[in-house]
Amino acid sequence: MTRTVVESKTKTAIIGFDQPFCVIGERINPTGRKKLAAELEAGDFSTVEQDALAQVAAGATVLDINAGVVYNSNPNPNETEPPLMKQIVELVQGLVDVPLCIDSSVPGALEAGLEAAEGRPLLNSVTGEEDRLELVLPLVKKYNVPVVAISNDDTGISEDPDVRFEVAKKIVQRAADYGIPAHDIVVDPLVMPIGAMATAGQQVFALVRRLREELGVNTTCGASNISFGLPNRHGINNAFLPMAMGAGMTSAIMNPVALPVTQKKIAEKKAEVAAAGIILPDGMDDETFVQVFGLGSTKPRAGKEMEAIRAANLLTNNDPHGGEWIKFNKPADAAGAEGESARGRRGGARRRRA
């Protein structure tokens, strides 16, 4: 069985056909998050801290770290991103003990993250583009780490799944030239939005099966891409993830956290309730209110996608005796601090180097 080993200073995560699905938490990424980008430029890491803790508590197995901020004061990411990547990696691994995924398009930031990471992180990513292969594969070999391989090349992203398979095959073969084994390649076959391409789901399921059977590699994806632009995205994601797992997908880069209900939504609902003539009990707090009216929670918690993944793990016998499913469905106060942080822990295994 193909197994991709990713390590922190104290924990090991295994991505594999016979393993529970690996959830790679995506939220430590300023892309499209103006507030987070502004905070990072100002040296404020409070949202990073909150996102790290919340994602692990929700069940993330690995945390993706992306420092891709374009500073207003300096728009050159080759200068700003490497030191920021180092800062974030050191901060996050001091808070939580899950392995990390170093994510950047800037080679200097990739190496800065690899240098700062304790254990054996996952590198994100290499593509089939010639210059990217020549820049990233030597880093993968030097630091003896696994890598995400994205199925696009110098011609761009093809809508033809056969072309995307050939790009993945090319990356695996080129990696072998560097002495990098197939079990250290995690292929992202590229999930297209189903709103733009009706066969996107069928394509990725077929591609995942083929990548597993013909190349023997593990797979991942940006899970939310499938539902982009459509209503009730969680409903689509909840169906897509177990189906992808059934086809053989072994990990996904995704948000494991259901975000808290905003004060604006609570106020709107309270106004609606009052307009309907409903009298609330004196002293009802916001958390009780949102639960009574089915709005969710005022606190971050595991999202519905995590429920679907854990159910699929149980159904595919990757949750022996249903222990994780039972723990996941216990009330929060009885379940304990799942994903408890490792605040302040230091030391542990160093990365194995070739």
Side-chain angles (χ1 to χ4, degrees):
M1 284 290 184
T2 298
R3 292 184 174 183
T4 303
V5 177
V6 190
E7 296 172 332
S8 70
K9 55 188 177 288
T10 57
K11 279 190 174 179
T12 297
I14 300 175
I15 305 173
F17 305 151
D18 61 343
Q19 299 293 309
F21 194 72
C22 179
V23 174
I24 303 170
E26 71 179 7
R27 286 193 58 74
I28 303 176
N29 186 338
T31 304
R33 300 180 69 188
K34 291 182 180 179
K35 178 177 178 289
L36 176 57
E39 286 178 359
L40 292 175
E41 185 169 3
D44 178 357
F45 295 91
S46 55
T47 296
V48 170
E49 293 176 354
Q50 293 164 13
D51 284 344
L53 294 168
Q55 289 182 105
V56 173
T61 318
V62 175
L63 291 186
D64 188 86
I65 309 292
N66 185 302
V69 181
V70 178
Y71 286 178
N72 292 319
S73 57
N74 182 354
N76 184 354
N78 292 306
E79 294 178 0
T80 60
E81 195 170 332
L84 181 60
M85 176 66 82
K86 180 177 184 292
Q87 280 183 283
I88 297 176
V89 166
E90 290 175 346
L91 171 69
V92 170
Q93 67 189 6
L95 289 171
V96 297
D97 58 0
V98 299
L100 303 182
C101 176
I102 310 301
D103 181 0
S104 180
S105 60
V106 176
L110 290 176
E111 186 148 27
L114 289 170
E115 278 295 328
E118 297 175 307
R120 191 176 196 245
L122 178 63
L123 196 64
N124 187 9
S125 57
V126 69
T127 67
E129 297 164 291
E130 285 300 321
D131 60 345
R132 193 73 179 171
L133 289 166
E134 292 173 8
L135 285 168
V136 177
L137 291 181
L139 287 177
V140 174
K141 178 63 176 177
K142 177 182 177 181
Y143 290 93
N144 185 28
V145 294
V147 65
V148 174
I150 301 178
S151 299
N152 68 281
D153 60 11
D154 296 283
T155 65
I157 300 173
S158 174
E159 293 188 358
D160 185 340
D162 291 333
V163 172
R164 299 208 299 279
F165 176 84
E166 290 301 323
V167 173
K169 184 177 179 180
K170 170 188 172 181
I171 298 171
V172 171
Q173 290 173 338
R174 290 288 288 276
D177 292 341
Y178 284 86
I180 301 164
H183 65 250
D184 275 341
I185 310 292
V186 182
V187 174
D188 181 346
L190 292 170
V191 175
M192 306 293 190
I194 198 164
M197 180 187 296
T199 59
Q202 294 170 300
Q203 277 195 10
V204 78
F205 303 147
L207 258 174
V208 166
R209 291 189 190 96
R210 193 175 175 195
L211 289 163
R212 174 173 175 163
E213 292 167 4
E214 297 184 33
L215 299 184
V217 293
N218 281 306
T219 47
T220 194
C221 71
S224 64
N225 287 354
I226 193 70
S227 61
F228 182 78
L230 293 174
N232 189 10
R233 296 185 66 184
H234 292 295
I236 296 170
N237 297 344
N238 292 348
F240 169 75
L241 282 162
M243 293 175 76
M245 292 167 68
M249 187 170 283
T250 47
S251 68
I253 300 170
M254 55 177 281
N255 178 15
V257 181
L259 299 181
V261 182
T262 64
Q263 284 300 313
K264 179 181 178 183
K265 182 164 281 191
I266 292 171
E268 289 172 350
K269 188 65 177 180
K270 284 183 175 178
E272 181 184 319
V273 167
I278 299 172
I279 300 173
L280 299 175
D282 291 339
M284 177 181 278
D285 60 27
D286 285 348
E287 178 64 15
T288 303
F289 176 81
V290 298
Q291 291 197 17
V292 166
F293 288 95
L295 299 181
S297 174
T298 60
K299 305 169 186 176
R301 67 200 192 288
K304 285 292 184 181
E305 286 89 343
M306 292 302 299
E307 181 178 306
I309 286 169
R310 290 182 186 274
N313 280 335
L314 176 64
L315 292 167
T316 55
N317 198 31
N318 284 322
D319 178 9
H321 311 296
E324 290 299 317
W325 178 251
I326 292 168
K327 183 168 71 171
F328 181 72
N329 284 283
K330 284 182 178 178
D333 57 346
E338 181 181 358
E340 184 179 351
S341 74
R343 186 183 299 273
R345 295 185 195 169
R346 308 304 301 166
R350 291 295 301 173
R351 178 169 53 253
R352 295 189 300 272
R353 298 192 184 234

